[in-house]
Every structure is written in C-alpha cells, then in structure tokens.
Amino acid sequence: TLQQKGLIDVYSRINIARNRLVLAGSEFELRSINFQTTKHVSAFTDHSDGFSFIMGDADDTAEGSYADAALKTYHSVDMLNPYILRYHDSFQMINAISRYHTMGIVFHSDALLFPEIKEMSFFKPKDHPAIRYQGVVIAGEKMDNSRLFLTYLVSEEAKHIFKTFGFDPV
C-alpha cells in the first residue's frame, strides 16, 4: 500500500529476517505430533472434552493467517476446528497455551521468549507462505538516516541479535 501511494523508496526494500511456525505446548503437554500423519484429534490429547487448540485470529494476527495456511496444507482444519480458540494477540496465545496446559501454533521467536512453553514440532517452510520481515526507507527528509539503519539491520552484529531472538537472518 505504501509503495502504491508513492511513500517509500522502492529500491530500498530488503529482506531482513525470516521466522518459522511451531506447534508449541505447555511444559505439561509434550507430545510428538506429525501433521502429515495425524488424522484424528486423539493425537493431540487424551481427553477431547475440554481440549483447546490455540491459534491467532487470521484477521488480526500474522500467526493466525500463517497457521491457517499450514493447517490447510495438512488438511487438518476440519479435525481441529471444533477445538480452536482464536486470540487477537500473540502474548495472549502464549499465556493460554501455558494456562490451559494445551498446545497451539505460534512463531518460533515468540515461543523462545517463554520458558513455560516448549516447541513440540516445526512446520516446514513449504507448509505456509514465507514469514519474512522486510525493511524499507520511507520517503522524506530523513532518508539517509533510514538507509544507514537498513545497512545496520543486515550487518553481522544485527544478524547475531536476530538469531539470539529466534529469527533466521537473511
């Protein structure tokens, strides 16, 4: 939208980092789950009564739209739909996974921030659209400073910081 409105320097757009989707569970709910072979909700829980599967709302969160795409890849939407609780905020999702001792789909970078949840499995990059973080210079008076900042974001120092927080630098 910004590009269409002529508000950015289109030649400045760069990929900075990538992220991954993970199936995360509370430290009490650790299972080995393979979405390729899982066809019944019993793979996720011993008791479907009261079971919840946590995801972001696809209209409000990036996690939700990527998670929806991943579940569609594995034809798991219909199986999990009755159990899905959708949240509008990633921190609410993490708290719900921990509090309800259940599982859900979150970004790898978010899961690393909370020791009370554990990553159970990673989704393959081909399972959903690429999760990319880009930088761009907004047109205006401070373009030179913005270009310097973009240069920093792809420096070795910044790449190390991104890795520390669970991102995959480009």
Side-chain angles (χ1 to χ4, degrees), residues 97-134:
I97 290 169
S98 176
R99 183 176 53 239
Y100 300 138
H101 304 295
T102 189
M103 61 191 70
I105 300 174
V106 299
F107 286 141
H108 170 64
S109 59
D110 289 344
L112 290 179
L113 295 174
F114 298 89
E116 63 272 15
I117 68 165
K118 305 293 181 213
E119 294 174 337
M120 300 164 66
S121 62
F122 285 90
F123 287 88
K124 296 177 183 139
K126 67 180 178 70
D127 294 344
H128 53 78
I131 303 169
R132 290 188 313 230
Y133 300 93
Q134 296 182 325

PDB file of all heavy atoms in Angstrom, residues 97-134:
ATOM      1  N   ILE A  97      -1.829 -21.095  26.124  1.00  0.00           N
ATOM      2  CA  ILE A  97      -1.189 -22.410  25.974  1.00  0.00           C
ATOM      3  C   ILE A  97      -0.656 -22.875  27.323  1.00  0.00           C
ATOM      4  O   ILE A  97      -0.857 -24.017  27.731  1.00  0.00           O
ATOM      5  CB  ILE A  97      -0.066 -22.362  24.919  1.00  0.00           C
ATOM      6  CG1 ILE A  97      -0.674 -22.196  23.518  1.00  0.00           C
ATOM      7  CG2 ILE A  97       0.807 -23.613  24.983  1.00  0.00           C
ATOM      8  CD1 ILE A  97       0.339 -21.874  22.433  1.00  0.00           C
ATOM      9  N   SER A  98      -0.010 -21.976  28.029  1.00  0.00           N
ATOM     10  CA  SER A  98       0.561 -22.327  29.328  1.00  0.00           C
ATOM     11  C   SER A  98      -0.526 -22.556  30.375  1.00  0.00           C
ATOM     12  O   SER A  98      -0.507 -23.552  31.097  1.00  0.00           O
ATOM     13  CB  SER A  98       1.495 -21.199  29.777  1.00  0.00           C
ATOM     14  OG  SER A  98       1.994 -21.464  31.050  1.00  0.00           O
ATOM     15  N   ARG A  99      -1.481 -21.660  30.455  1.00  0.00           N
ATOM     16  CA  ARG A  99      -2.517 -21.730  31.500  1.00  0.00           C
ATOM     17  C   ARG A  99      -3.432 -22.933  31.334  1.00  0.00           C
ATOM     18  O   ARG A  99      -3.800 -23.586  32.293  1.00  0.00           O
ATOM     19  CB  ARG A  99      -3.326 -20.435  31.495  1.00  0.00           C
ATOM     20  CG  ARG A  99      -4.373 -20.376  32.593  1.00  0.00           C
ATOM     21  CD  ARG A  99      -5.121 -19.047  32.658  1.00  0.00           C
ATOM     22  NE  ARG A  99      -5.686 -18.648  31.399  1.00  0.00           N
ATOM     23  CZ  ARG A  99      -5.394 -17.512  30.760  1.00  0.00           C
ATOM     24  NH1 ARG A  99      -4.523 -16.668  31.265  1.00  0.00           N
ATOM     25  NH2 ARG A  99      -5.968 -17.216  29.624  1.00  0.00           N
ATOM     26  N   TYR A 100      -3.818 -23.240  30.089  1.00  0.00           N
ATOM     27  CA  TYR A 100      -4.752 -24.339  29.849  1.00  0.00           C
ATOM     28  C   TYR A 100      -4.040 -25.684  29.646  1.00  0.00           C
ATOM     29  O   TYR A 100      -4.686 -26.685  29.377  1.00  0.00           O
ATOM     30  CB  TYR A 100      -5.640 -24.040  28.638  1.00  0.00           C
ATOM     31  CG  TYR A 100      -6.481 -22.795  28.795  1.00  0.00           C
ATOM     32  CD1 TYR A 100      -6.622 -21.907  27.745  1.00  0.00           C
ATOM     33  CD2 TYR A 100      -7.116 -22.505  29.992  1.00  0.00           C
ATOM     34  CE1 TYR A 100      -7.390 -20.762  27.871  1.00  0.00           C
ATOM     35  CE2 TYR A 100      -7.882 -21.363  30.134  1.00  0.00           C
ATOM     36  CZ  TYR A 100      -8.009 -20.491  29.073  1.00  0.00           C
ATOM     37  OH  TYR A 100      -8.764 -19.351  29.206  1.00  0.00           O
ATOM     38  N   HIS A 101      -2.707 -25.685  29.749  1.00  0.00           N
ATOM     39  CA  HIS A 101      -1.921 -26.907  29.560  1.00  0.00           C
ATOM     40  C   HIS A 101      -2.317 -27.586  28.255  1.00  0.00           C
ATOM     41  O   HIS A 101      -2.638 -28.764  28.210  1.00  0.00           O
ATOM     42  CB  HIS A 101      -2.079 -27.872  30.738  1.00  0.00           C
ATOM     43  CG  HIS A 101      -1.735 -27.243  32.040  1.00  0.00           C
ATOM     44  ND1 HIS A 101      -0.470 -26.812  32.337  1.00  0.00           N
ATOM     45  CD2 HIS A 101      -2.494 -26.946  33.120  1.00  0.00           C
ATOM     46  CE1 HIS A 101      -0.453 -26.278  33.546  1.00  0.00           C
ATOM     47  NE2 HIS A 101      -1.667 -26.343  34.040  1.00  0.00           N
ATOM     48  N   THR A 102      -2.268 -26.807  27.195  1.00  0.00           N
ATOM     49  CA  THR A 102      -2.666 -27.305  25.885  1.00  0.00           C
ATOM     50  C   THR A 102      -1.585 -26.969  24.876  1.00  0.00           C
ATOM     51  O   THR A 102      -0.418 -26.835  25.231  1.00  0.00           O
ATOM     52  CB  THR A 102      -4.046 -26.727  25.494  1.00  0.00           C
ATOM     53  OG1 THR A 102      -4.510 -27.372  24.321  1.00  0.00           O
ATOM     54  CG2 THR A 102      -4.017 -25.234  25.298  1.00  0.00           C
ATOM     55  N   MET A 103      -1.956 -26.807  23.631  1.00  0.00           N
ATOM     56  CA  MET A 103      -0.985 -26.515  22.583  1.00  0.00           C
ATOM     57  C   MET A 103      -1.580 -25.566  21.559  1.00  0.00           C
ATOM     58  O   MET A 103      -2.786 -25.332  21.536  1.00  0.00           O
ATOM     59  CB  MET A 103      -0.522 -27.802  21.914  1.00  0.00           C
ATOM     60  CG  MET A 103      -1.636 -28.579  21.243  1.00  0.00           C
ATOM     61  SD  MET A 103      -1.160 -30.226  20.716  1.00  0.00           S
ATOM     62  CE  MET A 103      -0.984 -31.042  22.286  1.00  0.00           C
ATOM     63  N   GLY A 104      -0.725 -25.053  20.706  1.00  0.00           N
ATOM     64  CA  GLY A 104      -1.168 -24.145  19.668  1.00  0.00           C
ATOM     65  C   GLY A 104      -0.043 -23.831  18.714  1.00  0.00           C
ATOM     66  O   GLY A 104       1.085 -24.308  18.874  1.00  0.00           O
ATOM     67  N   ILE A 105      -0.353 -23.024  17.733  1.00  0.00           N
ATOM     68  CA  ILE A 105       0.622 -22.663  16.705  1.00  0.00           C
ATOM     69  C   ILE A 105       1.055 -21.219  16.933  1.00  0.00           C
ATOM     70  O   ILE A 105       0.224 -20.311  16.984  1.00  0.00           O
ATOM     71  CB  ILE A 105       0.028 -22.842  15.299  1.00  0.00           C
ATOM     72  CG1 ILE A 105      -0.385 -24.303  15.094  1.00  0.00           C
ATOM     73  CG2 ILE A 105       1.028 -22.397  14.239  1.00  0.00           C
ATOM     74  CD1 ILE A 105      -1.124 -24.556  13.790  1.00  0.00           C
ATOM     75  N   VAL A 106       2.371 -21.033  17.084  1.00  0.00           N
ATOM     76  CA  VAL A 106       2.938 -19.712  17.339  1.00  0.00           C
ATOM     77  C   VAL A 106       4.220 -19.549  16.522  1.00  0.00           C
ATOM     78  O   VAL A 106       4.731 -20.508  15.947  1.00  0.00           O
ATOM     79  CB  VAL A 106       3.245 -19.505  18.842  1.00  0.00           C
ATOM     80  CG1 VAL A 106       1.969 -19.601  19.680  1.00  0.00           C
ATOM     81  CG2 VAL A 106       4.284 -20.487  19.343  1.00  0.00           C
ATOM     82  N   PHE A 107       4.738 -18.333  16.505  1.00  0.00           N
ATOM     83  CA  PHE A 107       6.034 -18.095  15.885  1.00  0.00           C
ATOM     84  C   PHE A 107       7.138 -18.665  16.778  1.00  0.00           C
ATOM     85  O   PHE A 107       7.070 -18.575  18.003  1.00  0.00           O
ATOM     86  CB  PHE A 107       6.295 -16.604  15.687  1.00  0.00           C
ATOM     87  CG  PHE A 107       5.511 -15.961  14.582  1.00  0.00           C
ATOM     88  CD1 PHE A 107       4.990 -14.692  14.743  1.00  0.00           C
ATOM     89  CD2 PHE A 107       5.315 -16.598  13.372  1.00  0.00           C
ATOM     90  CE1 PHE A 107       4.299 -14.075  13.728  1.00  0.00           C
ATOM     91  CE2 PHE A 107       4.617 -15.989  12.348  1.00  0.00           C
ATOM     92  CZ  PHE A 107       4.106 -14.723  12.527  1.00  0.00           C
ATOM     93  N   HIS A 108       8.154 -19.206  16.149  1.00  0.00           N
ATOM     94  CA  HIS A 108       9.330 -19.709  16.857  1.00  0.00           C
ATOM     95  C   HIS A 108       9.917 -18.622  17.761  1.00  0.00           C
ATOM     96  O   HIS A 108      10.248 -18.867  18.926  1.00  0.00           O
ATOM     97  CB  HIS A 108      10.355 -20.204  15.837  1.00  0.00           C
ATOM     98  CG  HIS A 108      11.698 -20.528  16.389  1.00  0.00           C
ATOM     99  ND1 HIS A 108      11.914 -21.542  17.291  1.00  0.00           N
ATOM    100  CD2 HIS A 108      12.911 -19.966  16.152  1.00  0.00           C
ATOM    101  CE1 HIS A 108      13.200 -21.602  17.593  1.00  0.00           C
ATOM    102  NE2 HIS A 108      13.820 -20.654  16.914  1.00  0.00           N
ATOM    103  N   SER A 109      10.030 -17.399  17.249  1.00  0.00           N
ATOM    104  CA  SER A 109      10.612 -16.301  18.024  1.00  0.00           C
ATOM    105  C   SER A 109       9.789 -16.004  19.275  1.00  0.00           C
ATOM    106  O   SER A 109      10.353 -15.645  20.314  1.00  0.00           O
ATOM    107  CB  SER A 109      10.738 -15.044  17.162  1.00  0.00           C
ATOM    108  OG  SER A 109       9.465 -14.650  16.678  1.00  0.00           O
ATOM    109  N   ASP A 110       8.479 -16.152  19.220  1.00  0.00           N
ATOM    110  CA  ASP A 110       7.638 -15.933  20.403  1.00  0.00           C
ATOM    111  C   ASP A 110       7.800 -17.072  21.403  1.00  0.00           C
ATOM    112  O   ASP A 110       7.864 -16.842  22.610  1.00  0.00           O
ATOM    113  CB  ASP A 110       6.164 -15.803  20.016  1.00  0.00           C
ATOM    114  CG  ASP A 110       5.856 -14.505  19.290  1.00  0.00           C
ATOM    115  OD1 ASP A 110       6.689 -13.576  19.352  1.00  0.00           O
ATOM    116  OD2 ASP A 110       4.793 -14.419  18.662  1.00  0.00           O
ATOM    117  N   ALA A 111       7.850 -18.294  20.910  1.00  0.00           N
ATOM    118  CA  ALA A 111       7.968 -19.449  21.806  1.00  0.00           C
ATOM    119  C   ALA A 111       9.252 -19.388  22.627  1.00  0.00           C
ATOM    120  O   ALA A 111       9.264 -19.786  23.792  1.00  0.00           O
ATOM    121  CB  ALA A 111       7.911 -20.745  21.006  1.00  0.00           C
ATOM    122  N   LEU A 112      10.320 -18.885  22.048  1.00  0.00           N
ATOM    123  CA  LEU A 112      11.595 -18.815  22.763  1.00  0.00           C
ATOM    124  C   LEU A 112      11.572 -17.853  23.947  1.00  0.00           C
ATOM    125  O   LEU A 112      12.359 -17.980  24.872  1.00  0.00           O
ATOM    126  CB  LEU A 112      12.717 -18.403  21.808  1.00  0.00           C
ATOM    127  CG  LEU A 112      13.127 -19.416  20.757  1.00  0.00           C
ATOM    128  CD1 LEU A 112      14.233 -18.849  19.891  1.00  0.00           C
ATOM    129  CD2 LEU A 112      13.562 -20.719  21.396  1.00  0.00           C
ATOM    130  N   LEU A 113      10.651 -16.899  23.915  1.00  0.00           N
ATOM    131  CA  LEU A 113      10.595 -15.897  24.975  1.00  0.00           C
ATOM    132  C   LEU A 113       9.977 -16.409  26.270  1.00  0.00           C
ATOM    133  O   LEU A 113      10.094 -15.776  27.308  1.00  0.00           O
ATOM    134  CB  LEU A 113       9.798 -14.677  24.499  1.00  0.00           C
ATOM    135  CG  LEU A 113      10.390 -13.879  23.351  1.00  0.00           C
ATOM    136  CD1 LEU A 113       9.413 -12.791  22.899  1.00  0.00           C
ATOM    137  CD2 LEU A 113      11.731 -13.277  23.736  1.00  0.00           C
ATOM    138  N   PHE A 114       9.292 -17.547  26.198  1.00  0.00           N
ATOM    139  CA  PHE A 114       8.526 -18.028  27.340  1.00  0.00           C
ATOM    140  C   PHE A 114       8.974 -19.436  27.731  1.00  0.00           C
ATOM    141  O   PHE A 114       8.631 -20.411  27.067  1.00  0.00           O
ATOM    142  CB  PHE A 114       7.032 -18.018  27.014  1.00  0.00           C
ATOM    143  CG  PHE A 114       6.517 -16.638  26.723  1.00  0.00           C
ATOM    144  CD1 PHE A 114       6.546 -16.131  25.439  1.00  0.00           C
ATOM    145  CD2 PHE A 114       6.042 -15.845  27.761  1.00  0.00           C
ATOM    146  CE1 PHE A 114       6.091 -14.847  25.176  1.00  0.00           C
ATOM    147  CE2 PHE A 114       5.585 -14.567  27.508  1.00  0.00           C
ATOM    148  CZ  PHE A 114       5.614 -14.064  26.215  1.00  0.00           C
ATOM    149  N   PRO A 115       9.701 -19.573  28.829  1.00  0.00           N
ATOM    150  CA  PRO A 115      10.195 -20.894  29.238  1.00  0.00           C
ATOM    151  C   PRO A 115       9.087 -21.857  29.655  1.00  0.00           C
ATOM    152  O   PRO A 115       9.313 -23.064  29.704  1.00  0.00           O
ATOM    153  CB  PRO A 115      11.132 -20.591  30.404  1.00  0.00           C
ATOM    154  CG  PRO A 115      10.786 -19.220  30.862  1.00  0.00           C
ATOM    155  CD  PRO A 115      10.170 -18.506  29.695  1.00  0.00           C
ATOM    156  N   GLU A 116       7.886 -21.361  29.921  1.00  0.00           N
ATOM    157  CA  GLU A 116       6.800 -22.247  30.346  1.00  0.00           C
ATOM    158  C   GLU A 116       6.149 -22.998  29.191  1.00  0.00           C
ATOM    159  O   GLU A 116       5.288 -23.845  29.417  1.00  0.00           O
ATOM    160  CB  GLU A 116       5.743 -21.485  31.155  1.00  0.00           C
ATOM    161  CG  GLU A 116       5.013 -20.396  30.405  1.00  0.00           C
ATOM    162  CD  GLU A 116       5.704 -19.033  30.457  1.00  0.00           C
ATOM    163  OE1 GLU A 116       6.886 -18.944  30.827  1.00  0.00           O
ATOM    164  OE2 GLU A 116       5.040 -18.044  30.101  1.00  0.00           O
ATOM    165  N   ILE A 117       6.548 -22.691  27.963  1.00  0.00           N
ATOM    166  CA  ILE A 117       6.061 -23.490  26.835  1.00  0.00           C
ATOM    167  C   ILE A 117       7.248 -24.094  26.102  1.00  0.00           C
ATOM    168  O   ILE A 117       8.357 -23.567  26.151  1.00  0.00           O
ATOM    169  CB  ILE A 117       5.151 -22.702  25.871  1.00  0.00           C
ATOM    170  CG1 ILE A 117       5.931 -21.640  25.116  1.00  0.00           C
ATOM    171  CG2 ILE A 117       3.961 -22.102  26.582  1.00  0.00           C
ATOM    172  CD1 ILE A 117       5.181 -21.108  23.929  1.00  0.00           C
ATOM    173  N   LYS A 118       6.990 -25.194  25.447  1.00  0.00           N
ATOM    174  CA  LYS A 118       8.034 -25.918  24.729  1.00  0.00           C
ATOM    175  C   LYS A 118       7.609 -26.114  23.273  1.00  0.00           C
ATOM    176  O   LYS A 118       6.434 -26.313  22.977  1.00  0.00           O
ATOM    177  CB  LYS A 118       8.279 -27.292  25.360  1.00  0.00           C
ATOM    178  CG  LYS A 118       8.603 -27.242  26.830  1.00  0.00           C
ATOM    179  CD  LYS A 118       9.934 -26.592  27.078  1.00  0.00           C
ATOM    180  CE  LYS A 118      10.242 -26.576  28.569  1.00  0.00           C
ATOM    181  NZ  LYS A 118      10.984 -25.462  28.997  1.00  0.00           N
ATOM    182  N   GLU A 119       8.575 -26.095  22.400  1.00  0.00           N
ATOM    183  CA  GLU A 119       8.304 -26.369  20.991  1.00  0.00           C
ATOM    184  C   GLU A 119       8.185 -27.864  20.793  1.00  0.00           C
ATOM    185  O   GLU A 119       9.072 -28.617  21.187  1.00  0.00           O
ATOM    186  CB  GLU A 119       9.409 -25.783  20.123  1.00  0.00           C
ATOM    187  CG  GLU A 119       9.435 -24.272  20.181  1.00  0.00           C
ATOM    188  CD  GLU A 119      10.603 -23.673  19.445  1.00  0.00           C
ATOM    189  OE1 GLU A 119      11.618 -24.365  19.247  1.00  0.00           O
ATOM    190  OE2 GLU A 119      10.499 -22.493  19.066  1.00  0.00           O
ATOM    191  N   MET A 120       7.082 -28.288  20.215  1.00  0.00           N
ATOM    192  CA  MET A 120       6.828 -29.712  20.004  1.00  0.00           C
ATOM    193  C   MET A 120       7.240 -30.139  18.604  1.00  0.00           C
ATOM    194  O   MET A 120       7.716 -31.241  18.408  1.00  0.00           O
ATOM    195  CB  MET A 120       5.347 -30.001  20.244  1.00  0.00           C
ATOM    196  CG  MET A 120       4.926 -29.651  21.673  1.00  0.00           C
ATOM    197  SD  MET A 120       3.158 -29.546  21.891  1.00  0.00           S
ATOM    198  CE  MET A 120       2.690 -31.235  21.625  1.00  0.00           C
ATOM    199  N   SER A 121       7.015 -29.278  17.627  1.00  0.00           N
ATOM    200  CA  SER A 121       7.448 -29.569  16.255  1.00  0.00           C
ATOM    201  C   SER A 121       7.435 -28.283  15.447  1.00  0.00           C
ATOM    202  O   SER A 121       6.741 -27.329  15.772  1.00  0.00           O
ATOM    203  CB  SER A 121       6.563 -30.635  15.601  1.00  0.00           C
ATOM    204  OG  SER A 121       5.239 -30.174  15.504  1.00  0.00           O
ATOM    205  N   PHE A 122       8.233 -28.288  14.390  1.00  0.00           N
ATOM    206  CA  PHE A 122       8.301 -27.157  13.473  1.00  0.00           C
ATOM    207  C   PHE A 122       7.481 -27.473  12.230  1.00  0.00           C
ATOM    208  O   PHE A 122       7.443 -28.616  11.782  1.00  0.00           O
ATOM    209  CB  PHE A 122       9.752 -26.903  13.019  1.00  0.00           C
ATOM    210  CG  PHE A 122      10.599 -26.255  14.062  1.00  0.00           C
ATOM    211  CD1 PHE A 122      11.318 -27.017  14.971  1.00  0.00           C
ATOM    212  CD2 PHE A 122      10.687 -24.879  14.133  1.00  0.00           C
ATOM    213  CE1 PHE A 122      12.104 -26.427  15.934  1.00  0.00           C
ATOM    214  CE2 PHE A 122      11.474 -24.268  15.092  1.00  0.00           C
ATOM    215  CZ  PHE A 122      12.189 -25.042  15.995  1.00  0.00           C
ATOM    216  N   PHE A 123       6.867 -26.456  11.664  1.00  0.00           N
ATOM    217  CA  PHE A 123       6.245 -26.605  10.354  1.00  0.00           C
ATOM    218  C   PHE A 123       7.323 -26.350   9.318  1.00  0.00           C
ATOM    219  O   PHE A 123       8.222 -25.530   9.528  1.00  0.00           O
ATOM    220  CB  PHE A 123       5.094 -25.607  10.179  1.00  0.00           C
ATOM    221  CG  PHE A 123       3.888 -25.963  10.986  1.00  0.00           C
ATOM    222  CD1 PHE A 123       3.750 -25.522  12.283  1.00  0.00           C
ATOM    223  CD2 PHE A 123       2.893 -26.752  10.443  1.00  0.00           C
ATOM    224  CE1 PHE A 123       2.644 -25.851  13.041  1.00  0.00           C
ATOM    225  CE2 PHE A 123       1.780 -27.092  11.179  1.00  0.00           C
ATOM    226  CZ  PHE A 123       1.653 -26.643  12.489  1.00  0.00           C
ATOM    227  N   LYS A 124       7.236 -27.038   8.221  1.00  0.00           N
ATOM    228  CA  LYS A 124       8.198 -26.838   7.143  1.00  0.00           C
ATOM    229  C   LYS A 124       7.884 -25.523   6.433  1.00  0.00           C
ATOM    230  O   LYS A 124       6.714 -25.151   6.304  1.00  0.00           O
ATOM    231  CB  LYS A 124       8.125 -28.000   6.158  1.00  0.00           C
ATOM    232  CG  LYS A 124       8.533 -29.313   6.767  1.00  0.00           C
ATOM    233  CD  LYS A 124       8.374 -30.439   5.780  1.00  0.00           C
ATOM    234  CE  LYS A 124       8.718 -31.738   6.476  1.00  0.00           C
ATOM    235  NZ  LYS A 124       7.832 -32.812   6.133  1.00  0.00           N
ATOM    236  N   PRO A 125       8.904 -24.834   5.942  1.00  0.00           N
ATOM    237  CA  PRO A 125       8.659 -23.564   5.241  1.00  0.00           C
ATOM    238  C   PRO A 125       7.686 -23.695   4.066  1.00  0.00           C
ATOM    239  O   PRO A 125       6.948 -22.763   3.767  1.00  0.00           O
ATOM    240  CB  PRO A 125      10.050 -23.150   4.760  1.00  0.00           C
ATOM    241  CG  PRO A 125      10.979 -23.796   5.726  1.00  0.00           C
ATOM    242  CD  PRO A 125      10.326 -25.108   6.095  1.00  0.00           C
ATOM    243  N   LYS A 126       7.640 -24.875   3.446  1.00  0.00           N
ATOM    244  CA  LYS A 126       6.736 -25.052   2.301  1.00  0.00           C
ATOM    245  C   LYS A 126       5.277 -25.239   2.738  1.00  0.00           C
ATOM    246  O   LYS A 126       4.382 -25.239   1.910  1.00  0.00           O
ATOM    247  CB  LYS A 126       7.191 -26.228   1.447  1.00  0.00           C
ATOM    248  CG  LYS A 126       7.071 -27.580   2.132  1.00  0.00           C
ATOM    249  CD  LYS A 126       7.548 -28.702   1.215  1.00  0.00           C
ATOM    250  CE  LYS A 126       7.498 -30.040   1.878  1.00  0.00           C
ATOM    251  NZ  LYS A 126       6.211 -30.596   2.136  1.00  0.00           N
ATOM    252  N   ASP A 127       5.030 -25.383   4.053  1.00  0.00           N
ATOM    253  CA  ASP A 127       3.681 -25.613   4.562  1.00  0.00           C
ATOM    254  C   ASP A 127       2.816 -24.360   4.586  1.00  0.00           C
ATOM    255  O   ASP A 127       1.610 -24.443   4.781  1.00  0.00           O
ATOM    256  CB  ASP A 127       3.736 -26.166   5.992  1.00  0.00           C
ATOM    257  CG  ASP A 127       4.358 -27.539   6.069  1.00  0.00           C
ATOM    258  OD1 ASP A 127       4.469 -28.204   5.026  1.00  0.00           O
ATOM    259  OD2 ASP A 127       4.730 -27.944   7.185  1.00  0.00           O
ATOM    260  N   HIS A 128       3.440 -23.195   4.437  1.00  0.00           N
ATOM    261  CA  HIS A 128       2.709 -21.924   4.529  1.00  0.00           C
ATOM    262  C   HIS A 128       3.510 -20.872   3.774  1.00  0.00           C
ATOM    263  O   HIS A 128       4.674 -21.095   3.437  1.00  0.00           O
ATOM    264  CB  HIS A 128       2.514 -21.530   5.999  1.00  0.00           C
ATOM    265  CG  HIS A 128       3.794 -21.520   6.774  1.00  0.00           C
ATOM    266  ND1 HIS A 128       4.708 -20.507   6.688  1.00  0.00           N
ATOM    267  CD2 HIS A 128       4.325 -22.428   7.624  1.00  0.00           C
ATOM    268  CE1 HIS A 128       5.738 -20.769   7.454  1.00  0.00           C
ATOM    269  NE2 HIS A 128       5.536 -21.942   8.030  1.00  0.00           N
ATOM    270  N   PRO A 129       2.895 -19.711   3.504  1.00  0.00           N
ATOM    271  CA  PRO A 129       3.673 -18.643   2.858  1.00  0.00           C
ATOM    272  C   PRO A 129       4.882 -18.269   3.705  1.00  0.00           C
ATOM    273  O   PRO A 129       4.872 -18.425   4.938  1.00  0.00           O
ATOM    274  CB  PRO A 129       2.678 -17.473   2.800  1.00  0.00           C
ATOM    275  CG  PRO A 129       1.330 -18.098   2.886  1.00  0.00           C
ATOM    276  CD  PRO A 129       1.502 -19.334   3.736  1.00  0.00           C
ATOM    277  N   ALA A 130       5.912 -17.804   3.054  1.00  0.00           N
ATOM    278  CA  ALA A 130       7.144 -17.435   3.753  1.00  0.00           C
ATOM    279  C   ALA A 130       6.869 -16.336   4.777  1.00  0.00           C
ATOM    280  O   ALA A 130       6.149 -15.384   4.500  1.00  0.00           O
ATOM    281  CB  ALA A 130       8.192 -16.965   2.750  1.00  0.00           C
ATOM    282  N   ILE A 131       7.469 -16.486   5.952  1.00  0.00           N
ATOM    283  CA  ILE A 131       7.356 -15.479   7.012  1.00  0.00           C
ATOM    284  C   ILE A 131       8.610 -14.626   6.918  1.00  0.00           C
ATOM    285  O   ILE A 131       9.688 -15.032   7.346  1.00  0.00           O
ATOM    286  CB  ILE A 131       7.233 -16.141   8.399  1.00  0.00           C
ATOM    287  CG1 ILE A 131       6.035 -17.082   8.426  1.00  0.00           C
ATOM    288  CG2 ILE A 131       7.123 -15.067   9.478  1.00  0.00           C
ATOM    289  CD1 ILE A 131       5.978 -17.974   9.664  1.00  0.00           C
ATOM    290  N   ARG A 132       8.445 -13.459   6.318  1.00  0.00           N
ATOM    291  CA  ARG A 132       9.577 -12.568   6.061  1.00  0.00           C
ATOM    292  C   ARG A 132       9.367 -11.233   6.745  1.00  0.00           C
ATOM    293  O   ARG A 132       8.248 -10.734   6.814  1.00  0.00           O
ATOM    294  CB  ARG A 132       9.715 -12.282   4.571  1.00  0.00           C
ATOM    295  CG  ARG A 132      10.161 -13.394   3.733  1.00  0.00           C
ATOM    296  CD  ARG A 132      10.428 -12.877   2.330  1.00  0.00           C
ATOM    297  NE  ARG A 132       9.336 -12.042   1.852  1.00  0.00           N
ATOM    298  CZ  ARG A 132       8.743 -12.206   0.678  1.00  0.00           C
ATOM    299  NH1 ARG A 132       9.131 -13.153  -0.127  1.00  0.00           N
ATOM    300  NH2 ARG A 132       7.776 -11.410   0.307  1.00  0.00           N
ATOM    301  N   TYR A 133      10.471 -10.672   7.197  1.00  0.00           N
ATOM    302  CA  TYR A 133      10.462  -9.317   7.742  1.00  0.00           C
ATOM    303  C   TYR A 133      11.320  -8.480   6.812  1.00  0.00           C
ATOM    304  O   TYR A 133      12.465  -8.826   6.523  1.00  0.00           O
ATOM    305  CB  TYR A 133      11.011  -9.304   9.165  1.00  0.00           C
ATOM    306  CG  TYR A 133      10.180 -10.173  10.079  1.00  0.00           C
ATOM    307  CD1 TYR A 133      10.524 -11.496  10.306  1.00  0.00           C
ATOM    308  CD2 TYR A 133       9.035  -9.674  10.674  1.00  0.00           C
ATOM    309  CE1 TYR A 133       9.753 -12.304  11.126  1.00  0.00           C
ATOM    310  CE2 TYR A 133       8.251 -10.476  11.489  1.00  0.00           C
ATOM    311  CZ  TYR A 133       8.617 -11.781  11.707  1.00  0.00           C
ATOM    312  OH  TYR A 133       7.845 -12.588  12.511  1.00  0.00           O
ATOM    313  N   GLN A 134      10.743  -7.403   6.340  1.00  0.00           N
ATOM    314  CA  GLN A 134      11.432  -6.551   5.385  1.00  0.00           C
ATOM    315  C   GLN A 134      11.645  -5.162   5.956  1.00  0.00           C
ATOM    316  O   GLN A 134      10.926  -4.735   6.862  1.00  0.00           O
ATOM    317  CB  GLN A 134      10.616  -6.430   4.093  1.00  0.00           C
ATOM    318  CG  GLN A 134      10.455  -7.736   3.350  1.00  0.00           C
ATOM    319  CD  GLN A 134       9.695  -7.576   2.060  1.00  0.00           C
ATOM    320  OE1 GLN A 134       8.780  -6.772   1.956  1.00  0.00           O
ATOM    321  NE2 GLN A 134      10.087  -8.345   1.057  1.00  0.00           N
TER     322      GLN A 134
END
